[in-house]
Amino acid sequence: MAAGFKTVEPLEYYRRFLKENCRPDGRELGEFRTTTVNIGSISTADGSALVKLGNTTVICGVKAEFAAPSTDAPDKGYVVPNVDLPPLCSSRFRSGPPGEEAQVASQFIADVIENSQIIQKEDLCISPGKLVWVLYCDLICLDYDGNILDACTFALLAALKNVQLPEVTINEETALAEVNLKKKSYLNIRTHPVATSFAVFDDTLLIVDPTGEEEHLATGTLTIVMDEEGKLCCLHKPGMFPPLQS
Amino acid sequence: MEEETHTDAKIRAENGTGSSPRGPGRSLRHFACEQNLLSRPDGSASFLQGDTSVLAGVYGPAEVKVSKEIFNKATLEVILRPKIGLPGVAEKSRERLIRNTCEAVVLGTLHPRTSITVVPQVVSDAGSLLACCLNAACMALVDAGVPMRALFCGVACALDSDGTLVLDPTSKQEKEARAVLTFALDSVERKLLMSSTKGLYSDTELQQYLAAAQAASRHVFRFYRESLQRRYSKS
């Protein structure tokens, strides 16, 4: 009977739970889902991490490659994030070029990296004006059940902490780079930004870590990224939707 | 034919209104707005903030592709083209921000199974671009006669290295700033509809900026009202 009511009136079904200050999966309004992290699972990547926030699963792989720096920033490396939401994770995504959701998530992760200064780009420089590291961070969602931004930020942070870069020296005579794979060092991670997403219901209630259904029923979403000093790196509030009924 | 274009130009010039120039302290740059300048879109508006200028066109309510139609409300689309180069991920992100802001105010349920397309075109960028796009989009929606529950405006603020707040920053101020925040506020209760931020700041600073943006939005809404009053009082 409850299943029937849920199909016909999903918002009312939800409201019944919210009145009692809890949610259908048994969580409080301010409670997160069980989070698990698995570091270094991809051996072919320079750094990797798998994060599960309840059912939402995101895997991040970081590959480091050489690149020539741009002329206006000769001592800065690059960090290039890319979020991929394949058809595997949810039926709403089709194969083909990245959809809007994936592009917005990619831009969000790029903004978090830029604003929080998680890695100083100067640390990625090998030889100013000639050679720098570029870190390609690929985040792939394996299971989409809401709160993708939190999971991506967490996976990215965990993967970057796991990255080990080999030592590179430029041979003076041949001007070629020599990579010493035996001597590897971790990246210098300056801050630890953490993202928290909220779903807004009926313009009054805030619930933390929304699932896929909750995001769909909500009036709006809000994501805040803070570092350990309490500074805000990003306040992402992509607008509110008008309530479904009106 | 020549006469027609001449009067057209006259009406256009009269429609354009300007606000008072930037005063001392925290205030906004000179704005100007012109409506109904393009013949093809159902509504169009050009909004200038200092040297930043955005031209927005609105088509709708119009026919929608069956794959995109929503049974009980209008499908809102925003197409943002940068001034130079091909559109990239940053443009998609901004399109999403503008679209969600418009969706919060447009009464889509009055026009189900239709599409409303907003096309802002950046003419010149001298800082506060997202805020200018939002203002141009709002004025274009009004010009097109799309039913809305409230008007909205965009306000940008920058926090420079010594901690002072600058409203409506120029590109130079934005580059040197520690943080740049753009808010979209509605006209009825000055509620926050959308926010997009860059840089690091604390939560007390956020509260201050939001309050300053809400105070500044009053000027923008007053400017909208004067601009529309002047336009409709002529015709």
Side-chain angles (χ1 to χ4, degrees):
Chain A
M1 203 221 117
F5 183 51
K6 185 179 178 192
T7 321
V8 172
E9 283 282 347
L11 196 56
E12 263 313 310
Y13 175 80
Y14 223 77
R15 283 206 186 108
R16 301 277 168 94
F17 282 94
L18 290 177
K19 242 182 277 195
E20 307 292 326
N21 275 342
C22 73
R23 291 138 96 171
D25 52 4
R27 287 189 284 160
E28 302 271 309
L29 297 187
E31 206 184 310
F32 276 86
R33 289 175 281 186
T34 352
T35 312
T36 40
V37 189
N38 184 326
I39 315 250
S41 39
I42 306 178
S43 55
T44 47
D46 295 301
S48 61
L50 173 82
V51 168
K52 271 175 83 87
L53 269 175
N55 283 331
T56 302
T57 312
V58 172
I59 185 158
C60 175
V62 180
K63 287 288 272 179
E65 290 183 18
F66 288 143
S70 67
T71 40
D72 51 348
D75 58 345
K76 290 195 173 163
Y78 304 96
V79 181
V80 182
N82 184 39
V83 176
D84 186 20
L85 298 172
L88 170 69
C89 63
S90 166
S91 55
R92 66 167 107 161
F93 304 119
R94 298 260 176 275
S95 60
E100 200 198 352
E101 182 101 36
Q103 293 197 43
V104 170
S106 297
Q107 183 62 33
F108 174 80
I109 299 289
D111 287 339
V112 168
I113 296 173
E114 178 73 40
N115 293 340
S116 64
Q117 295 283 300
I118 185 175
I119 290 182
Q120 201 79 313
K121 299 227 170 80
E122 284 79 1
D123 291 346
L124 295 173
C125 178
I126 302 167
S127 167
K130 293 201 200 96
L131 203 67
V132 293
W133 284 114
V134 49
L135 296 175
Y136 289 110
C137 309
D138 294 303
L139 294 122
I140 300 173
C141 176
L142 300 171
D143 195 345
Y144 189 103
D145 192 21
N147 205 2
I148 194 82
L149 297 176
D150 286 9
C152 287
T153 320
F154 192 3
L156 179 76
L157 180 62
L160 285 173
K161 281 190 84 97
N162 179 239
V163 167
Q164 282 186 308
L165 291 179
E167 195 195 354
V168 182
T169 44
I170 308 268
N171 189 327
E172 299 280 319
E173 296 150 353
T174 59
L176 284 175
E178 282 169 7
V179 180
N180 185 355
L181 287 169
K182 294 203 181 67
K183 202 166 162 208
K184 289 193 174 185
S185 58
Y186 285 101
L187 283 174
N188 181 8
I189 306 285
R190 279 148 202 274
T191 55
H192 297 79
V194 176
T196 316
S197 292
F198 299 87
V200 183
F201 267 90
D202 294 335
D203 294 348
T204 44
L205 241 77
L206 269 183
I207 58 172
V208 132
D209 192 13
T211 63
E213 284 171 3
E214 289 167 0
E215 273 183 356
H216 186 68
L217 294 171
T219 331
T221 54
L222 168 66
T223 307
I224 297 180
V225 183
M226 281 182 100
D227 67 4
E228 61 263 81
E229 289 163 29
K231 290 262 177 178
L232 284 145
C233 313
C234 182
L235 176 68
H236 182 76
K237 186 175 194 288
M240 307 276 268
F241 312 113
L244 285 174
Q245 257 65 23
S246 69
Chain B
M1 197 59 182
E2 264 179 51
E3 263 184 61
E4 267 182 54
T5 43
H6 184 68
T7 35
D8 225 26
K10 229 171 75 177
I11 294 171
R12 246 182 267 146
E14 282 164 348
N15 275 343
T17 48
S19 70
S20 55
R22 216 202 254 272
R26 325 167 172 178
S27 57
L28 306 161
R29 290 180 283 183
H30 172 97
F31 345 116
C33 168
E34 257 188 68
Q35 290 186 307
N36 203 19
L37 9 81
L38 300 172
S39 61
R40 285 262 166 252
D42 296 320
S44 55
S46 164
F47 204 89
L48 281 90
Q49 274 178 228
D51 287 323
T52 306
S53 164
V54 174
L55 176 63
V58 168
Y59 290 91
E63 218 182 292
V64 67
K65 250 193 267 197
V66 184
S67 56
K68 289 194 197 156
E69 82 176 1
I70 305 176
F71 76 98
N72 61 344
K73 57 184 186 144
T75 312
L76 220 111
E77 243 183 77
V78 174
I79 305 173
L80 186 61
R81 300 270 145 175
K83 189 165 153 234
I84 38 174
L86 289 165
V89 181
E91 274 70 42
K92 260 287 180 295
S93 179
R94 273 192 218 126
E95 282 177 9
R96 156 78 73 96
L97 295 172
I98 299 175
R99 194 186 78 225
N100 285 6
T101 314
C102 296
E103 273 184 359
V105 292
V106 164
L107 294 168
T109 47
L110 289 179
H111 297 283
R113 295 183 309 280
T114 60
S115 83
I116 299 175
T117 314
V118 180
V119 190
Q121 173 67 52
V122 177
V123 173
S124 70
D125 180 7
S128 309
L129 187 65
L130 184 59
C132 196
C133 286
L134 285 163
N135 293 334
C138 182
M139 286 274 95
L141 284 165
V142 170
D143 189 44
V146 172
M148 300 199 274
R149 69 167 50 79
L151 294 180
F152 60 89
C153 79
V155 180
C157 37
L159 176 67
D160 62 13
S161 38
D162 44 317
T164 42
L165 172 64
V166 178
L167 285 173
D168 199 15
T170 59
S171 343
K172 185 161 171 284
Q173 287 168 330
E174 274 184 357
K175 239 178 259 178
E176 292 165 4
R178 172 156 64 92
V180 178
L181 299 94
T182 307
F183 299 113
L185 300 158
D186 87 340
S187 59
V188 179
E189 286 166 30
R190 306 272 163 352
K191 261 196 324 196
L192 177 65
L193 289 173
M194 181 282 288
S195 95
S196 167
T197 68
K198 213 174 83 141
L200 280 169
Y201 48 95
S202 70
D203 51 338
T204 38
E205 284 172 341
L206 174 68
Q207 302 290 348
Q208 282 171 354
Y209 305 155
L210 193 50
Q214 282 171 329
S217 68
R218 226 169 276 138
H219 294 280
V220 186
F221 290 128
R222 198 178 58 219
F223 172 67
Y224 282 177
R225 184 175 276 273
E226 283 170 8
S227 169
L228 290 166
Q229 267 175 345
R230 209 173 305 183
R231 181 181 169 208
Y232 289 109
S233 66
K234 297 284 181 193
S235 53

